[in-house]
Amino acid sequence: MSPAVTICRDGDDLAARAADLVAQAAEAAIWARGRAMLALAGGSTPKVTYGLMAQPARRIRIDWARTFLFLGDERFVPPDDPSSNFAMVRRTLLAPVPVPARHAFPVPTQLGTAAAAAAAYAATLAEEFAIGDRGGPPRFDLILLGLGEDGHTASLFPGAASLSVSDRWVAATPPGTLPPPVERITLTFPVLNAARAVVFLVSGASKAEALRDVLEGRPSREERPAVGVRPADGTLTWLVDEAAAGRLTR
Ligand code: 6PG
């Protein structure tokens, strides 16, 4: 299925459409399977989206008691660190909405190593998705992703070993070239490509070159990891603002 690309007026328009997409995906999942399994993006772009989702008019659309929230990736920093993705999600979304605390799953970065945190997060996925030893990968109802200026997504960085991981759902990866310069824990391609829906949120002119390459070029996943996101049996949507779309030709 070819990706759907929606060019939004600006960051606010992008955030509003993203918040609506998340609510629709959660409603549909709960209707079909009794619960919604969502993986959220880190970084700065989704903050406005999470803020909108927390506003009264939108938060009533999601049955938070049946919604489970995971992270697509995390920085290997303490959970209360300013650069923690979970801290950002807690501040912008979890604090204002009635999601049970046991339904939000931070990456256990308090563990000694990023590898240990990755292994523990994979075990949590297996438990929450009720996947036995031979099953999997977990099939999220929706995964939100961002795009780095270098074409990375989640914490799958250009040239990194984690790009070729096929036997694990979560990997530890060395710092990328973009800040913060810390180890990361990331969902791997097998999980990203098992999702029912993946939505990229891309905002700002600094992303224009990477976005053009990913959508219109033929880079390898080594060069631009975001091209490796191709849900096998799911939808792929790009919500991009005009600034980020500035170099698209089509
Ligand atoms: C992270 C993210 C990362 C992010 C991109 C875009 O932990 O940094 O998960 O993949 O989505 O780097 O980041 P911005 O939205 O901040 O531009």
Side-chain angles (χ1 to χ4, degrees):
M1 193 187 288
S2 58
V5 180
T6 299
I7 301 180
C8 310
R9 245 183 354 271
D10 52 27
D12 290 340
D13 181 31
L14 185 154
R17 291 169 190 250
D20 289 341
L21 263 180
V22 175
Q24 285 158 16
E27 283 168 343
I30 291 167
W31 190 82
R33 289 171 291 279
R35 67 180 186 169
M37 305 297 271
L38 313 180
L40 302 177
S44 55
T45 304
K47 289 179 185 170
V48 183
T49 299
Y50 301 154
L52 286 178
M53 288 169 58
Q55 290 186 357
R58 280 199 171 82
R59 75 173 173 238
I60 54 171
R61 289 187 56 191
I62 297 181
D63 180 350
W64 297 101
R66 295 171 180 274
T67 299
F68 296 75
L69 301 171
F70 298 81
L71 283 176
D73 72 320
E74 181 60 284
R75 293 93 181 258
F76 190 57
V77 295
D80 56 0
D81 186 282
S83 66
S84 159
N85 283 334
F86 191 75
M88 179 272 286
V89 169
R90 188 172 41 219
R91 201 171 49 250
T92 55
L93 179 64
L94 302 180
V97 302
V99 64
R102 69 184 185 287
H103 285 193
F105 299 88
V107 175
T109 54
Q110 70 281 2
L111 294 179
T113 65
Y121 209 53
T124 299
L125 290 175
E127 190 181 338
E128 295 303 322
F129 281 86
I131 298 172
D133 289 352
R134 302 203 184 298
R139 184 159 159 75
F140 280 96
D141 296 301
L142 176 68
I143 298 181
L144 289 182
L145 292 174
L147 180 72
E149 294 167 21
D150 58 359
H152 82 260
T153 191
S155 282
L156 296 165
F157 297 114
S162 53
L163 297 173
S164 46
V165 169
S166 59
D167 60 349
R168 279 170 287 139
W169 304 339
V170 189
T173 188
T177 54
L178 297 169
V182 295
E183 284 185 285
R184 307 288 188 99
I185 297 99
T186 184
L187 295 182
T188 58
F189 283 125
V191 177
L192 300 181
N193 291 329
R196 289 188 173 84
V198 174
V199 176
F200 278 92
L201 311 181
V202 188
S203 176
S206 67
K207 307 294 177 67
E209 190 180 335
L211 184 66
R212 181 208 49 215
D213 287 356
V214 170
L215 292 181
E216 296 183 349
R218 291 190 172 292
S220 66
R221 76 163 51 166
E222 293 294 317
E223 297 159 324
R224 301 287 198 193
V227 298
V229 181
R230 287 273 180 279
D233 177 17
T235 61
L236 178 58
T237 304
W238 290 80
L239 288 183
V240 307
D241 66 12
E242 284 178 5
R247 294 196 185 189
L248 296 181
T249 57
R250 289 196 293 267

